[in-house]
Amino acid sequence: MTLGGGGTTQVAYGDKWYWEKRYAQEPGSYDWYQTYHSLAPLLRLYVHPHHRVLVVGCGNSAFSEGMVDDGYAAVVNVDISSVVIEAMQKKYSNRPQLKYMNMDVRDMSAFEAGSFDAIIDKGVYLQCGNDSMINAAQMLAEVCRVLKDEGKYILITYGAPVQRLHLLRDSCSLTVKLHVIDKVQSTGSSHQQKWELTSPIASDKDVSSVESVLGPNPGVHYIYVCVKDNTLESRHKAQINY
């Protein structure tokens, strides 16, 4: 997994060697940001159990296992770390619904165009490390290529709308809905979410309107549900060729 950077300490999240070393030293399961249980209501809203799903930067997360346990039939997982992929292949060798492949998200040429109904990205979006903008553009181009028309790219990140919305909207004509979820999750039944996970935040206007709704430092993870719109993409290509 390659995490989208952050914090005051410079960590080589964008480099393969960092993850090979980390997964060799920390073989136990770990979920970045959110668990499947916390995000399940939103996923069920956009991703059907019969859909073919790609999880990018899967790491040693139990997220995909949770999806299969909840009825999803085909979940393909990719990660740049060969160490973690080998471990996950062994761990889930008896679960045919789960497939693990060693792959760089900037080059997913092993997949044909339009291979997946949905792509889930829990903290990967490559806006960190050296050449971050180039890496992010390459990744989004591949995401859009392997998505089917009207397929969903679901990005879970700490990256605020001012940092993400325009980049996502400008990439292969994605239409974007924004959801949020509290960063701190409680297992206690008394915990009340401040935001309704399945209700999108208004994001069709200027980014400042989103920030005015959420307020300063809202303490949330942002979930960008991006739909590949082939109509918009065709219109964009026609304008370029005009």
Side-chain angles (χ1 to χ4, degrees), residues 57-77:
C58 62
N60 51 20
S61 167
F63 192 90
S64 297
E65 177 185 357
M67 292 190 70
V68 169
D69 288 345
D70 202 23
Y72 287 90
V75 184
V76 179
N77 303 267

Side-chain angles (χ1 to χ4, degrees), residues 101-156:
M101 303 174 66
N102 185 204
M103 193 177 299
D104 189 324
V105 292
R106 294 167 297 184
D107 179 9
M108 296 189 286
S109 53
F111 300 134
E112 295 182 358
S115 293
F116 296 97
D117 299 281
I119 297 175
I120 298 173
D121 174 353
K122 201 151 62 80
V124 179
Y125 184 51
L126 296 173
Q127 279 204 304
C128 63
N130 296 326
D131 301 320
S132 60
M133 295 305 295
I134 295 174
N135 291 333
Q138 290 174 339
M139 176 184 173
L140 284 176
E142 280 293 85
V143 163
C144 291
R145 184 185 67 81
V146 302
L147 262 184
K148 294 180 179 180
D149 290 338
E150 300 184 3
K152 283 87 173 178
Y153 169 51
I154 302 177
L155 169 62
I156 300 99

Side-chain angles (χ1 to χ4, degrees), residues 222-237:
Y222 300 91
I223 306 170
Y224 300 90
V225 180
C226 311
V227 182
K228 183 179 178 182
D229 191 328
N230 59 332
T231 303
L232 285 176
E233 189 170 10
S234 298
R235 188 184 307 163
H236 179 65
K237 289 180 179 178

Side-chain angles (χ1 to χ4, degrees), residues 182 184 186 188-195:
D182 290 353
V184 178
S186 173
S189 58
S190 61
H191 178 70
Q192 296 294 319
Q193 294 289 326
K194 183 177 180 181
W195 307 99

